[in-house]
Amino acid sequence: MTVQETSAVELAYVPTTADATGALRARIRSTPAGRLQSGIILASAIVVLGALVVTLTLPKRPHLGVTVLCLAALALLIGLHMLVPALQARQIHRMVVSQGEFRAVVGEAGVRLTSQDSETTFRWPMITRYAETDTLFVLMTPDKHSVGLVVLPKRGAAIPPDVDRLRAILDRNATRV
């Protein structure tokens, strides 16, 4: 793939923690494994909340130990759901921030990412799915966990119509999830 491809879209951006957080959350919403994880956390929270309600509505005075345990479990489950992607994103950002500005060229052959010390090319068979958020395109590998991600911030487009061109390229070459 060459930069001169007429249909290619170029992006230039410095990765942020918000990009990584958004990508991880999009991955959770878009993959069977992520949805299962969210479902387990939600079901656990419902069970704990039910136990708390039962404890508080029993005719006897609520048992302090059970109440505290239920509240702690709810706090842990909310933390898992809300904080884990943000904490993982901070770790990811620390790994890539030293690379400075990233440049991505997205065309019919695939995606080429370059940074200060690296250049990586992904052909479309490697990134068969994508999710779109308000600020990102998140390209994912075909495995059920989508272990591999390519994050393309929309702010990296030189002009607003490039975002629409990029979406069209992705629609032709990958499945939107």
Side-chain angles (χ1 to χ4, degrees):
M1 178 168 62
T2 64
V3 177
Q4 290 78 26
E5 284 183 43
T6 57
S7 64
V9 174
E10 295 185 44
L11 304 170
Y13 58 92
V14 175
T16 66
T17 304
D19 294 339
T21 303
L24 290 172
R25 288 197 170 128
R27 182 179 142 260
I28 288 169
R29 285 188 307 271
S30 301
T31 62
R35 287 189 298 272
L36 176 63
Q37 173 186 328
S38 291
I40 289 170
I41 291 172
L42 177 62
S44 299
I46 290 170
V47 168
V48 170
L49 190 58
L52 182 61
V53 168
V54 167
T55 298
L56 295 175
T57 58
L58 285 175
K60 297 189 278 180
R61 242 182 47 203
H63 189 272
L64 181 62
V66 173
T67 304
V68 169
L69 180 64
C70 287
L71 291 173
L74 276 175
L76 176 65
L77 291 167
I78 290 168
L80 281 173
H81 182 69
M82 300 298 290
L83 296 178
V84 168
L87 293 173
Q88 289 174 330
R90 287 178 59 193
Q91 292 174 331
I92 291 167
H93 184 255
R94 274 185 255 169
M95 288 188 303
V96 298
V97 71
S98 64
Q99 293 300 305
E101 183 179 72
F102 278 67
R103 293 194 172 276
V105 178
V106 183
E108 296 305 321
V111 179
R112 188 180 72 221
L113 289 176
T114 56
S115 67
Q116 177 180 314
D117 296 321
S118 69
E119 181 172 327
T120 306
T121 300
F122 299 91
R123 305 283 179 225
W124 291 116
M126 181 66 179
I127 45 176
T128 59
R129 302 177 296 156
Y130 81 96
E132 183 176 357
T133 71
D134 291 342
T135 59
L136 304 169
F137 290 102
V138 182
L139 287 59
M140 295 175 268
T141 55
D143 58 289
K144 73 176 182 175
H145 299 287
S146 288
V147 174
L149 296 176
V150 177
V151 181
L152 301 173
K154 293 177 181 179
R155 71 176 182 285
I159 55 175
D162 282 350
V163 173
D164 294 328
R165 289 181 45 232
L166 177 54
R167 186 179 299 109
I169 293 169
L170 295 175
D171 285 339
R172 282 192 301 274
N173 295 287
T175 303
R176 185 188 302 233
V177 293

